[in-house]
Amino acid sequence: MEAWSQFVQLLFSGLTIGSIYALVALGFVITYSVTGILNLAQGDFAMLGALLCMTFVNSGVPFAFAIGLSIMAVMAVGGLFERLAIQPARRSSVAVLIIITIGVSFVFRGIALLVWGTDPYALRPFTGNEALRMFGAVIQWQSVWAIAISVVSFIALHVFFNRTYLGKAVSACVINPFAARLMGIDIRKMSLGAIAVSAGLGALAGIVIAPISGASYDMGMMIGLKAFIAAVVGGLTNAPAAIAGAFLVGLLESFAEGYLSSGYKEAISFGLLLLVLFFMPNGLFAKMTGKRV
Amino acid sequence: MEHGQRMADGRKRWLWLVGAAVWLGLPWLVFGNNYVLSTLILIGLYALVSTGMTLLMGYAGQISLGQAAFYGIGAYASAYLTAHADWPSWLALAAGAALAALVALVVGIPVFRLREHYLALATLGFGVIMFTFFKEWKGITGGLNGFFGIPPIHIAGISLQSDLQFYYLVLLFVLAGLWFAHNIVRSRVGRALRAIHGSEVAASSLGVNITKYKLQIFMLSAVYASVAGSLYAHYVTFINPDLFGIVPSIYFLIMVVIGGSSHVWGGLVGAAVYVCLGEWLKAVVPLLIPHAGGEFEIVFFGLLLVVMLIYMPNGLSGVLSKGMKRLLETGRRQKREAAVDSRQAGSIGGGQG
């Protein structure tokens, strides 16, 4: 019974962290699909979202409103980042663009450090503190929120890309930028939109995880890197596969932490990354790849 | 043309000599000021790492986001072998370099089948995994508490304990490193690397064994980093895993970008600018923003990295070499014009006579 409840506990914590990685990985897949850029600053959007939300809540803004406000703010930051750092360097090589996003990530970290300092902050859970008892395990309501929000976000994005005109325009840019431009679609606007949406998703992820693991200036790097692993495991441009990858990474980490040692969990996820890169460079779910996004 | 080339080469050699002389003389200028000396030593150590990375990035066109791992391999190998196994320090340094080369070979074979994004992620992953080992392999590395009591370097029975002695040792390594890199670049290997950088497909169709060259240069860059790590361990006598994580790897990358990877000495320039700017920021920023602490560097270097890549993609060495060329060019033109003038004057004189 003990073993069973531990298993359920680890399963839930894996699903929770996996849903966070999934949100960030979704943003990453959208950015990469539309702009072809591997944005290593993706995780820092989560950090900014969490810290901003915490500040808004502490200064008396109603909780739901604070969440919306911080997501909007981070989307604006994402837009600025696209205009100031990505657009001027559009014609650079892939390596240069990657390094630019690293530079931006450093700037975000540094600014957060100056504004909020090195101490981690706590955000209160979305709903009450009492935990849910299920299968002999104790599950925080926030975990349920995290999983639900990631599922809802994914459905919303799916509807957006497949059912709305704008979503189809974005998909068109992905499939053939040249033809899309001929049809009068403004690719620069699409790139701006893609990065802003990715930033918003990242911010949401940060806000959801903040009540569980706290918010600090350096939380972005690891969340971002795990999301990349998830996306790579899924094949970089395939959103459902990236989400599957995210849950895989989350579960792997959670079980590695529970059954092996917490110190090695990073090495295990990155080991998975290397294995996938070496042996299945198109991702674990390559067969699912039809079109991007 | 050939004559001009030889003259330019001669001038370049002359510049090298002047540079070396300045570096040799620097300690006498600062009169054993330990702060300046230790800064210079740090520049030298970072220059070694970034020279290796310059070869990898600038000449072979390959990105590495895990270079600090090799720096760490050298540091821990030297620390462990000298402190716990009583090896002579130079042998430990060589063993560390060999180990780093071996690791680079093993990791490089699968990694260099990847390109661009995937290569960046794979090297990053390698960096994180090595960092985990440094952190978790407590029996050898001391874990997060760090590794204490690394003995100083011994050479021919002398233990190098003063900063001045160590400065000259590092200088020797930097000069040797630069000289070696310079020769590599001008050799057959260098031409092959440039071809790979230009177009891998074209290079391989010309019969260049791309994988072999990439691997070799990756191993070489690992050796540079490892040697610097060994020297660093003996210099500071205390190391901990945070020195060899992902963030230091990115700092090495920043040095290469600042210095520019289109010239062999770009790494040295980048390291010098990086260390000096860092020290300067540490001194100046607290005066302007009292609560900023030393952490302000992160924002600054992040911005610098972005701005450099957008507006100055060849780094400082690109700008410097252009300026230098123009300087040499004008010197030569003046000389030529003077020669023409005197000849004209002579011919006019002759005509009159």
Side-chain angles (χ1 to χ4, degrees):
Chain A
M1 201 56 215
E2 183 91 336
W4 170 244
S5 69
Q6 191 197 3
F7 177 81
V8 175
Q9 196 86 57
L10 293 174
L11 182 74
F12 254 85
S13 80
L15 288 177
T16 307
I17 190 80
S19 65
I20 300 303
Y21 296 159
L23 281 176
V24 181
L26 263 178
F28 167 64
V29 168
I30 293 171
T31 303
Y32 183 77
S33 299
V34 177
T35 64
I37 291 165
L38 182 112
N39 178 13
L40 285 176
Q42 192 76 43
D44 294 291
F45 292 134
M47 175 271 291
L48 287 177
L51 287 172
L52 275 175
C53 187
M54 187 273 306
T55 307
F56 288 141
V57 169
N58 284 356
S59 58
V61 180
F63 203 62
F65 196 59
I67 293 176
L69 206 60
S70 39
I71 291 176
M72 302 281 269
V74 175
M75 283 177 81
V77 171
L80 272 178
F81 155 63
E82 202 269 351
R83 277 292 113 104
L84 296 180
I86 299 298
Q87 279 299 342
R90 294 261 349 138
R91 295 207 175 75
S92 308
S93 69
V94 169
V96 167
L97 281 168
I98 293 177
I99 302 174
I100 286 179
T101 65
I102 293 178
V104 172
S105 160
F106 263 57
V107 173
F108 287 159
R109 273 168 70 111
I111 290 173
L113 190 59
L114 287 179
V115 177
W116 288 286
T118 49
D119 297 331
Y121 293 91
L123 187 65
R124 73 170 176 81
F126 290 7
T127 46
N129 267 328
E130 63 268 46
L132 196 65
R133 296 203 150 265
M134 206 191 286
F135 309 114
V138 183
I139 292 145
Q140 288 175 307
W141 267 108
Q142 193 64 23
S143 294
V144 181
W145 272 109
I147 298 165
I149 284 176
S150 75
V151 170
V152 169
S153 307
F154 174 62
I155 293 171
L157 280 173
H158 185 78
V159 170
F160 171 74
F161 280 116
N162 292 294
R163 297 274 184 274
T164 66
Y165 181 76
L166 191 62
K168 284 186 178 161
V170 175
S171 310
C173 289
V174 174
I175 294 162
N176 188 337
F178 183 66
R181 207 161 57 223
L182 283 180
M183 300 308 289
I185 295 169
D186 186 343
I187 297 205
R188 283 170 51 113
K189 256 184 209 153
M190 292 299 157
S191 150
L192 180 69
I195 292 182
V197 169
S198 307
L201 282 171
L204 182 61
I207 295 167
V208 174
I209 195 70
I212 299 172
S213 56
S216 67
Y217 81 101
D218 60 352
M219 68 190 275
M221 185 181 251
M222 266 308 151
I223 291 187
L225 292 180
K226 299 296 169 48
F228 295 129
I229 298 178
V232 171
V233 167
L236 279 185
T237 54
N238 182 340
I243 292 169
F247 282 109
L248 180 66
V249 172
L251 289 171
L252 198 68
E253 255 181 32
S254 170
F255 285 116
E257 194 166 14
Y259 292 124
L260 298 169
S261 139
S262 67
Y264 283 105
K265 74 174 189 191
E266 247 68 279
I268 287 169
S269 350
F270 280 94
L272 174 73
L273 169 77
L274 292 186
L275 285 179
V276 170
L277 283 176
F278 295 160
F279 298 110
M280 287 158 284
N282 292 321
L284 272 183
F285 310 102
K287 281 205 185 94
M288 283 161 71
T289 322
K291 59 171 186 176
R292 298 204 268 179
V293 183
Chain B
M1 183 63 216
E2 196 161 292
H3 177 65
Q5 185 63 42
R6 209 179 304 142
M7 281 207 352
D9 273 2
R11 266 200 204 91
K12 259 188 199 155
R13 200 162 302 140
W14 188 74
L15 278 175
W16 275 81
L17 280 175
V18 170
V22 168
W23 280 94
L24 273 172
L26 269 177
W28 303 109
L29 288 176
V30 299
F31 287 109
N33 179 332
N34 273 346
Y35 169 68
V36 179
L37 266 183
S38 64
T39 309
L40 288 173
I41 290 170
L42 207 59
I43 292 177
L45 294 175
Y46 288 169
L48 268 180
V49 184
S50 46
T51 302
M53 268 181 94
T54 297
L55 287 175
L56 184 68
M57 285 176 63
Y59 288 89
Q62 308 300 313
I63 187 172
S64 170
L65 298 180
Q67 208 67 11
F70 295 117
Y71 190 57
I73 289 176
Y76 280 113
S78 277
Y80 185 80
L81 291 175
T82 53
H84 293 323
D86 282 332
W87 285 34
S89 42
W90 60 269
L91 199 60
L93 182 136
L99 180 65
L102 185 70
V103 172
L105 177 70
V106 172
V107 173
I109 287 173
V111 159
F112 281 108
R113 295 205 329 241
L114 307 167
R115 307 238 306 266
E116 300 182 334
H117 294 123
Y118 294 105
L119 180 64
L121 279 178
T123 53
L124 195 82
F126 164 68
V128 174
I129 291 173
M130 287 309 296
F131 172 68
T132 311
F133 280 124
F134 295 147
K135 212 173 55 181
E136 294 298 318
W137 214 356
K138 297 189 179 78
I140 286 183
T141 66
L144 278 175
N145 297 329
F147 197 119
F148 292 91
I150 304 161
I153 238 173
H154 285 272
I155 287 176
I158 310 162
S159 101
L160 299 184
Q161 270 170 323
S162 83
D163 279 8
L164 192 65
Q165 288 166 321
F166 206 84
Y167 171 80
Y168 281 113
L169 180 74
V170 171
L171 181 65
L172 204 68
F173 272 100
V174 172
L175 285 177
L178 282 174
W179 175 78
F180 191 71
H182 181 69
N183 282 341
I184 285 269
V185 164
R186 288 156 54 101
S187 71
R188 202 182 138 75
V189 183
R191 284 197 298 277
L193 289 176
R194 273 194 294 267
I196 292 171
H197 193 178
S199 159
E200 293 199 1
V201 179
S204 76
S205 74
L206 288 172
V208 176
N209 186 342
I210 299 180
T211 321
K212 191 184 95 183
Y213 282 115
K214 279 193 207 167
L215 259 182
Q216 283 178 347
I217 210 74
F218 187 52
M219 288 166 72
L220 185 66
S221 77
V223 168
Y224 272 90
S226 166
V227 168
S230 293
L231 291 173
Y232 180 81
H234 287 300
Y235 178 57
V236 297
T237 71
F238 165 73
I239 50 177
N240 69 336
D242 284 335
L243 294 164
F244 314 111
I246 285 300
V247 174
S249 282
I250 292 170
Y251 280 131
F252 290 132
L253 188 77
I254 292 177
M255 289 176 218
V256 175
V257 169
I258 296 177
S261 52
S262 51
H263 295 272
V264 164
W265 39 271
L268 175 63
V269 173
V273 172
Y274 170 83
V275 173
C276 293
L277 273 179
E279 294 298 320
W280 179 76
L281 283 174
K282 257 179 223 151
V284 167
V285 169
L287 303 178
L288 302 175
I289 314 168
H291 305 294
E295 316 284 0
F296 194 81
E297 291 168 62
I298 305 181
V299 191
F300 181 81
F301 282 115
L303 275 178
L304 189 66
L305 189 61
V306 176
V307 172
M308 288 289 289
L309 281 173
I310 295 176
Y311 298 105
M312 212 191 271
N314 289 326
L316 283 178
S317 69
V319 176
L320 283 177
S321 91
K322 222 179 244 171
M324 194 65 84
K325 219 172 254 166
R326 204 166 293 154
L327 212 73
L328 294 176
E329 210 45 40
T330 44
R332 207 175 298 153
R333 200 184 308 133
Q334 275 166 0
K335 216 177 268 172
R336 207 183 305 133
E337 274 163 11
V340 170
D341 281 352
S342 70
R343 208 176 305 141
Q344 273 174 348
S347 71
I348 291 165
Q352 275 175 343

